[in-house]
Amino acid sequence: NFVAPLQSAMRSIPTELNLVRRERSKYIYRLSAYLAAKVVAEVPMTLACSLLFSSTMYPLVGLDRNWHKFRIFSGIGMLHAMATSSLGLFLGSLTADSDTAMGLMTPVVLVSNLFSGIFISEISIPGGLWVFPKLSLIKWAWEGLCWNEFEGLRFRCDIPVKALCVRSGKQALMRVFNSTEKSREYRTMMWQGGLTMLFYCLTHMQVAHVGTQYATWEMPMPKPSPPSFVARPRESSTPSTEADGMRELEVRRSL
């Protein structure tokens, strides 16, 4: 439920931005109106697909058959789909075409999985990387679903070693998240809503910052005029016949 909304949003917005920028340059509508219309148009399909996914998977996995927990499970799934779609819009606004946008999806998915708390505990993450778990949408969805499912459960333990025995969902959550906070699933839902609004605002800022680019008009440089030449009469290099005759006569007299 993470890749599908992300991929759909990343493919759609790069192809639309060129048209949007041309229309905005003519003051047809505001950028906020375009983003609001796009979100409103895509929200019903996104929520419907997420609800269908939750309704199908919840009984197949064998989760707790509690109507209250199912509602929270579906709500977390729908918020996760919305947050993933907003992240896809932001990543798509950073690129000029959909192929480049799809190239960003792999590192984003890997980083979100790595800092989700499933493979590495949040306590063992270095302090300089604290922002990555906070921005991981997979972390907040997985954490909320765990608290929603395990809170209030009781387990039967047949292990002889009591130290390894987990008798309640509270103990299981304590081992995984090192916290005894109650109703933490609502806190994760607030984080998902906040990240959704953050990515929508970043998308608006990015598209407004880039804007429409036009070629600059420059005056053409004047062409240099060719040099002017004055035609002069050509001097003949051959002597006239009369001058040649006089010179020949003087040479004979001297001899």
Side-chain angles (χ1 to χ4, degrees), residues 10-11 19 21 27 29 37 44 46 49 55 61 67 93 116 118 127 142 148 162 173 176 222 224-225 231-232 251:
M10 292 178 69
R11 282 185 177 276
L19 177 62
R21 286 165 181 162
Y27 303 98
Y29 50 78
T46 302
C49 293
S55 303
V61 176
W67 173 246
S93 65
S116 62
I118 302 175
W142 179 72
N148 179 59
K162 295 184 178 180
L173 294 172
V176 176
S225 57
R232 296 180 179 178
V251 170

Side-chain angles (χ1 to χ4, degrees), residues 67-87:
W67 173 246
H68 177 68
K69 289 189 175 183
F70 173 73
R71 288 187 301 173
I72 297 178
F73 180 89
S74 302
I76 292 175
M78 288 188 288
L79 281 174
H80 178 65
M82 288 291 300
T84 305
S85 179
S86 65
L87 175 61

Side-chain angles (χ1 to χ4, degrees), residues 119-215:
F119 306 102
I120 303 176
S121 176
E122 188 175 356
I123 303 175
S124 61
I125 295 176
L129 303 177
W130 64 270
V131 68
F132 291 101
K134 301 299 182 183
L135 296 177
S136 176
L137 300 178
I138 299 178
K139 171 192 180 309
W140 296 114
W142 179 72
E143 185 174 331
L145 294 176
C146 287
W147 280 90
N148 179 59
E149 177 63 23
F150 284 96
E151 193 172 11
L153 292 183
R154 303 292 298 178
F155 305 111
R156 185 180 62 184
C157 184
D158 298 331
I159 301 177
V161 183
K162 295 184 178 180
L164 301 178
C165 185
V166 178
R167 298 184 179 274
S168 65
K170 183 178 180 180
Q171 293 180 358
L173 294 172
M174 180 63 185
R175 293 190 177 186
V176 176
F177 301 105
N178 194 25
S179 176
T180 58
E181 182 181 355
K182 294 183 179 180
S183 301
R184 195 168 178 175
E185 60 270 15
Y186 295 104
R187 176 172 171 265
T188 60
M189 295 172 73
M190 293 177 60
W191 268 95
Q192 286 182 316
L195 289 175
T196 302
M197 298 305 299
L198 173 64
F199 290 131
Y200 280 144
C201 293
L202 291 176
T203 303
H204 186 280
M205 294 172 58
Q206 172 64 22
V207 177
H209 173 70
V210 175
T212 307
Q213 298 180 356
Y214 298 96

Side-chain angles (χ1 to χ4, degrees), residues 13 16 21-23 31 35 41 46 78 85 89 101 122 210:
I13 191 168
E16 298 175 1
R21 286 165 181 162
R22 286 198 301 267
E23 292 178 345
L31 177 60
L35 291 177
T46 302
M78 288 188 288
S85 179
L89 290 179
E122 188 175 356
V210 175

Side-chain angles (χ1 to χ4, degrees), residues 227-241:
S228 58
F229 297 96
V230 180
R232 296 180 179 178
R234 182 178 180 182
E235 297 181 355
S236 177
S237 58
T238 56
S240 59
T241 308

